[in-house]
Amino acid sequence: MSHPHPVCREIEPDLPVVAAGEASRAVAERVGRHVGSCTACHEELERYRAVEGFVGRLREAPLPGDDPTLARAELESRLADLRSRLVSFGIFPSPVGPILIARSELGVAMVRYLTGRTRGLAAEVQRLLGDDVVEDRAATEALHAELVAYLEGRRTRLDWPLDLRLARSNFHRDVLRATAAVPYGAVTSYRGIATEIGHPSAVRAVAQALRHNPLPIVVPCHRIIGAHGELTGYAGNRLSLKEQLLAVEGVRTERVAKAPHVARHALYHYDPNEQHEYCLPTCGEIARRPIGPITLFASPERAEALGLVPCTSCRPDLHPLHA
Amino acid sequence: MADDAFDTVVAAHHAEIRRYLLRVTARPSEADDLSQETFLRAFRAHGSLPPDSNVRAWLFSIATNLSRNHFRAQKRRLRAHAAAARERPEVDSAWPESEAAASEARARIEAVIAGLPLKQRLAFIMRKMHDLDYAVIGANLDCSADSARAHVFQALRKIRRGLEGLALVETEPMP
């Protein structure tokens, strides 16, 4: 419709706005005054009002194909599938610095110490864990709370199911499982783990596997040490972190030729025997032997929690080590 | 846990988002696919959504982006759809047969909507069928709230022109 009059041309863009009820008061009044004296514009406004009415009815009218039931059921099943594959991660502060925790429906999949840089981290996590990775602090918050309690010594167990998807081989998985079984407040050697998984000579392979532990703290590779009590590597070159984690569990360390070692004279020793007896470090030659299959405990309670009993010759129950 | 929160999101918004996509695509199968993709994407991202976010507007934004990509990738389909929409038979209780003009008007309106440029169509449907704010519509279409409003009224003008010749209004003589 053409409007010959300049006022009508000026008013025209406002007509649909007024009809939609979205015009400002001033515009509505101006249009109202004009259509009161202009039949063409009055008619045009009414047409726009009719359009609004039709559009409103179109909105209310049933829409062919508007039954979401099947689509919803299909969506639920895709979501269930996605949930089983999905890995959620969160980044949190902790007593050992910022830390990343990732979990799937199966269990905790990755723990990583962060060293300042968080840019590009999501992409890196995705590269490691696959496409189905999302940042979701809420999903990992509970794990974080337990981890902090553990690092502060308020909790001695992290009973989390493990998702070992980042294990590189069956051997790697075996090493991680055996390490996960080393209890709180205890340390053993790489050789001990190698023996445990049936490959007693694969000491270096065990050390290498633990160097690539995707779940530090949770899989307590800090409890695995060299045959002479040396702490060896941890998280790159963060031996002090290993000492810190052991200290939380009551395992004392000392310097031997400037290198940190566990303080064997301050730890209870268990060399596998039929009587399941644990000993004082002064029992015979025990503290001078390579740790190998020996497990060291921070306290008699830690040893006895595993069902071990005091040695009947050295009597750690009668002569406890001084803390 | 967050998963339960997402179940609530699905329960609250799935039907509306699918209806939106059904209006946009006019094809139930495409509405199914796109609504599914909308919620799968939302599921991946909802954990990092700030707690006070407008989830409904956010879902509309994902659905809008997906449909724009969908149409960009398949422009031929868009034309086919416009033709299909014009051919759609009229069956409807809300539009009684006695109202012949109304029925004709609906057919014409649907044809005009189907033939609108995509941005106008999306803006029109979001505003007129789902009551979204112009600011939200603008954000979803990568334009300002004013541009979003302009799209909607441009669509209304086209619908108005599409109804040209139909006796919609009884013209009263001027006093």
Side-chain angles (χ1 to χ4, degrees):
Chain A
M1 174 161 278
S2 64
H3 298 286
H5 198 280
V7 179
C8 296
R9 270 207 295 279
E10 203 183 304
I11 285 283
E12 200 280 335
D14 291 332
L15 296 177
V17 184
V18 171
E22 292 181 18
S24 68
R25 199 167 154 187
V27 169
E29 282 174 3
R30 191 162 64 101
V31 168
R33 277 194 303 276
H34 177 75
V35 300
S37 60
C38 174
T39 314
C41 287
H42 174 76
E43 194 181 315
E44 189 69 357
L45 179 61
E46 288 307 312
R47 282 184 164 271
Y48 274 117
R49 286 195 171 129
V51 166
E52 286 291 333
F54 282 125
V55 167
R57 289 167 70 178
L58 185 64
R59 173 190 169 131
E60 300 307 323
L63 189 61
D66 185 22
D67 180 1
T69 320
L70 280 177
R72 173 82 182 269
E74 171 77 3
L75 172 64
E76 301 286 0
S77 112
R78 295 266 314 260
L79 279 174
D81 177 50
L82 183 56
R83 276 178 175 136
S84 70
R85 283 183 290 118
L86 195 76
V87 176
S88 311
F89 75 93
I91 294 167
F92 305 95
S94 87
V96 294
I99 207 159
L100 178 147
I101 304 172
R103 60 159 292 179
S104 70
E105 214 176 43
L106 299 175
V108 57
M110 183 159 106
V111 170
R112 176 175 277 210
Y113 300 116
L114 303 176
T115 47
R117 183 183 62 88
T118 53
R119 256 181 60 180
L121 198 66
E124 198 184 330
V125 175
Q126 209 150 49
R127 187 179 59 74
L128 285 168
L129 290 167
D131 287 338
D132 297 310
V133 174
V134 295
E135 183 164 1
D136 186 348
R137 279 178 66 96
T140 39
E141 178 60 58
L143 301 183
H144 167 241
E146 289 189 9
L147 192 72
V148 168
Y150 171 88
L151 291 170
E152 291 175 352
R154 292 182 282 112
R155 187 183 184 93
T156 60
R157 298 181 71 90
L158 296 173
D159 292 321
W160 302 348
L162 306 181
D163 177 348
L164 295 178
R165 69 175 70 199
L166 287 179
R168 296 165 174 200
S169 61
N170 287 337
F171 177 83
H172 196 185
R173 205 167 286 118
D174 290 346
V175 170
L176 296 173
R177 288 221 178 89
T179 304
V182 177
Y184 189 88
V187 291
T188 190
S189 68
Y190 296 101
R191 184 174 295 283
I193 296 294
T195 307
E196 178 69 30
I197 62 169
H199 298 280
S201 62
V203 179
R204 284 188 170 276
V206 167
Q208 193 63 16
L210 289 180
R211 212 161 77 81
H212 297 286
N213 177 7
L215 295 164
I217 308 176
V218 184
V219 171
C221 57
H222 61 277
R223 295 178 195 150
I224 316 301
I225 55 175
H228 301 286
E230 68 277 22
L231 296 198
T232 72
Y234 190 73
N237 199 22
R238 298 179 68 189
L239 275 186
S240 59
L241 188 53
K242 192 165 180 170
E243 274 188 288
Q244 190 183 341
L245 293 171
L246 290 173
V248 166
E249 303 184 10
V251 176
R252 283 173 56 190
T253 53
E254 62 189 1
R255 304 275 146 171
V256 176
K258 290 189 182 170
H261 284 61
V262 295
R264 291 186 69 174
H265 58 83
L267 297 168
Y268 298 85
H269 285 52
Y270 173 65
D271 192 1
N273 59 74
E274 284 184 3
Q275 292 73 38
H276 301 293
E277 290 179 352
Y278 70 94
C279 304
L280 291 168
T282 48
C283 189
E285 297 288 304
I286 196 164
R288 279 191 290 278
R289 296 219 302 274
I291 294 172
I294 296 173
T295 303
L296 309 175
F297 292 94
S299 68
E301 292 75 27
R302 299 288 171 223
E304 285 166 25
L306 296 186
L308 302 180
V309 294
C311 169
T312 48
S313 359
C314 67
R315 301 303 300 264
D317 49 334
L318 298 182
H319 313 286
L321 296 166
H322 295 291
Chain B
M1 284 292 278
D3 287 358
D4 300 332
F6 195 74
D7 288 339
T8 316
V9 169
V10 173
H13 301 292
H14 176 260
E16 185 185 20
I17 293 295
R18 186 181 174 279
R19 191 173 311 120
Y20 167 59
L21 291 163
L22 180 59
R23 288 193 193 276
V24 170
T25 62
R27 285 166 186 261
S29 63
E30 285 175 22
D32 285 351
D33 291 348
L34 290 171
S35 63
Q36 199 165 92
E37 191 55 33
T38 299
F39 281 89
L40 291 175
R41 287 198 185 196
F43 178 71
R44 289 166 198 275
H46 83 289
S48 48
L49 200 65
D52 54 347
S53 303
N54 180 343
V55 174
R56 180 169 173 263
W58 175 64
L59 290 170
F60 267 96
S61 120
I62 300 174
T64 303
N65 274 330
L66 285 173
S67 28
R68 289 176 77 190
N69 293 341
H70 172 76
F71 285 122
R72 252 198 291 274
Q74 303 179 47
K75 278 194 169 173
R76 282 176 295 121
R77 263 208 202 168
L78 176 60
R79 284 197 291 273
H81 149 66
R86 275 186 212 102
E87 288 159 14
R88 195 186 302 149
E90 305 305 315
V91 271
D92 215 75
S93 53
W95 301 67
E97 277 178 32
S98 57
E99 293 181 39
S103 180
E104 167 70 10
R106 179 184 180 176
R108 289 203 200 179
I109 291 175
E110 287 186 332
V112 172
I113 294 173
L116 289 173
L118 186 57
K119 267 194 170 186
Q120 275 179 25
R121 192 148 53 93
L122 292 168
F124 177 82
I125 294 173
M126 279 191 268
R127 178 66 192 170
K128 291 299 188 182
M129 303 292 142
H130 297 275
D131 288 328
L132 291 187
D133 290 346
Y134 289 118
V136 170
I137 298 170
N140 290 353
L141 295 176
D142 305 316
C143 65
S144 66
D146 284 345
S147 299
R149 183 196 303 269
H151 283 313
V152 172
F153 284 104
Q154 197 55 38
L156 281 169
R157 277 188 199 91
K158 286 181 182 169
I159 291 171
R160 152 75 191 85
R161 281 202 294 278
L163 296 178
E164 199 80 70
L166 273 188
L168 302 179
V169 182
E170 292 298 322
T171 312
E172 292 168 21
M174 293 297 291

